[in-house]
Amino acid sequence: MDRDLWSGLAVFAAIVDAGSFARAATRLGLSPSALSHAMRSLETKLGVRLLDRTTRSLAPTPAGEELLLRLKPAIDSVESALSDLDSGRDKPAGRIRVSAHRVAAIYAVLPRLADFARAYPDVTVKLTVDDGFVDIVADRFDCGVRHAMTLQGDMISVRISDPVPLVYVAAPSYLHDRAPPAHPDDLDAHRCLCYRHTSSGVVHRWEFEGGGRAFERTIRGDFTTNDVDVLRDAAVAGLGVACLPQPHAERQLADGTLVEVLAGWATTLPPNHLYYPSRRQPSAAFRVFVDAMRV
């Protein structure tokens, strides 16, 4: 088969799978203009339009749909063959694409990567940090890292961290002329810094445990952000009280730029899990990566 034709067919399948030229370009490591040129060339060679495109949408034409029905099994077969080939290597090699939320990336994934790189120098890791919900199948990640409570039911998951304690904090400068909150009811008299979930847009409800019960409160956010680093830095700057994962505030608590408030009231998040689709055929590189991440 014409090499350019096969390349064009693979690009066509990737664009439809991604749902846009921009997303497909990111997955393939190419520019959107290069993919657009490849599609024009493919349609010219075949003498038929395969995609209906507008400024806001993209969909295969009836001819494109028919071609995809026949093309996808061939692509799946090639990917399976490559996976089998990789499994037979003496030394695992390849690329692992990981999506993780920021705290897990820093405190669960990164600490293990140096040893992993020394043990498997031919395996490269592409770590994308995103605190929102990510569809790892649609976005072509090999795996994701999230708290267990957010995982989809059809995923295989591997625990890679212990439960993650939360902590309520404020800067000494903020507390200089006001009494620190000792009970959740005291928060009504304080400025509170809140986290907004990237995907849903929902503001995180603060959770408390104490007095033999667990409960949540909707907090009036005097400052709101969707980035946990910015949330911590806002607390350090003296903007108010924040709820943070304890690992993300340990250095500031140690050097005194933050102090704990509401001691004994904070809850704990579930462990972080690495997860991937149950139907995925793991390569040798992916298997050793999972083993390196598990606790």
Side-chain angles (χ1 to χ4, degrees):
M1 177 183 287
D2 183 332
R3 183 176 63 183
D4 291 338
L5 182 59
W6 175 251
S7 176
L9 290 171
V11 165
F12 167 57
I15 291 169
V16 175
D17 185 54
S20 75
F21 277 79
R23 181 177 283 182
T26 299
R27 293 180 183 177
L28 297 174
L30 300 170
S31 68
S33 61
L35 296 195
S36 183
H37 174 76
M39 276 306 306
R40 286 196 301 270
S41 176
L42 177 64
E43 289 175 327
T44 299
K45 283 186 176 183
L46 297 179
V48 63
R49 193 174 77 256
L50 300 174
L51 289 175
D52 282 329
R53 287 163 276 184
T54 70
T55 55
R56 295 190 177 185
S57 65
L58 174 153
T61 63
E65 287 276 13
E66 180 64 28
L67 178 60
L68 275 175
L69 285 174
R70 300 179 177 226
L71 184 61
K72 193 172 186 312
I75 292 176
D76 290 343
S77 178
V78 170
E79 290 181 346
S80 178
L82 292 175
S83 179
D84 291 344
L85 180 64
D86 182 63
S87 298
R89 294 177 187 269
D90 291 334
K91 296 174 64 177
R95 182 179 65 177
I96 307 299
R97 295 155 296 187
V98 186
S99 169
H101 67 89
R102 187 179 303 277
V103 175
I106 295 171
Y107 301 106
V109 178
L110 283 179
R112 296 177 170 92
L113 287 185
D115 287 343
F116 179 76
R118 283 190 289 269
Y120 303 103
D122 296 327
V123 179
T124 60
V125 177
K126 180 179 179 182
L127 176 61
T128 299
V129 177
D130 191 331
D131 286 340
F133 172 78
V134 175
D135 186 334
I136 62 170
V137 175
D139 291 340
R140 302 301 290 270
F141 287 102
D142 294 295
C143 60
V145 179
R146 295 293 187 277
H147 293 295
M149 60 187 177
T150 64
L151 301 187
Q152 297 168 281
D154 60 345
M155 295 288 171
I156 295 173
S157 67
V158 176
R159 187 167 69 88
I160 67 169
S161 81
D162 293 327
V164 182
L166 296 174
V167 62
Y168 293 98
V169 297
S173 59
Y174 171 77
L175 298 172
H176 177 70
D177 56 355
R178 51 174 63 85
H183 187 279
D185 291 343
D186 298 338
L187 290 170
D188 293 335
H190 284 269
R191 293 180 59 83
C192 296
L193 316 179
C194 293
Y195 176 81
R196 183 184 298 277
H197 294 279
T198 301
S199 299
S200 66
V202 173
V203 174
H204 173 68
R205 287 169 59 86
W206 287 11
E207 301 170 80
F208 304 95
E209 286 183 354
R213 67 190 183 104
F215 58 97
E216 296 181 353
R217 286 190 60 174
T218 298
I219 301 297
R220 183 197 74 252
D222 297 285
F223 172 84
T224 304
T225 179
N226 66 344
D227 188 290
V228 69
D229 285 352
V230 174
L231 185 64
R232 179 192 59 202
D233 292 348
V236 170
L239 269 66
V241 178
C243 177
L244 293 168
Q246 190 177 56
H248 216 55
E250 279 183 350
R251 181 171 63 82
Q252 290 74 19
L253 289 168
D255 65 22
T257 53
L258 290 175
V259 296
E260 184 177 4
V261 298
L262 295 168
W265 285 98
T267 60
T268 299
L269 293 174
N272 287 296
H273 280 67
L274 181 150
Y275 65 99
Y276 56 96
S278 57
R279 63 183 180 276
R280 189 187 192 283
Q281 179 65 34
S283 66
F286 185 73
R287 287 197 299 271
V288 296
F289 179 77
V290 172
D291 287 341
M293 291 296 114
R294 71 172 73 241
V295 295

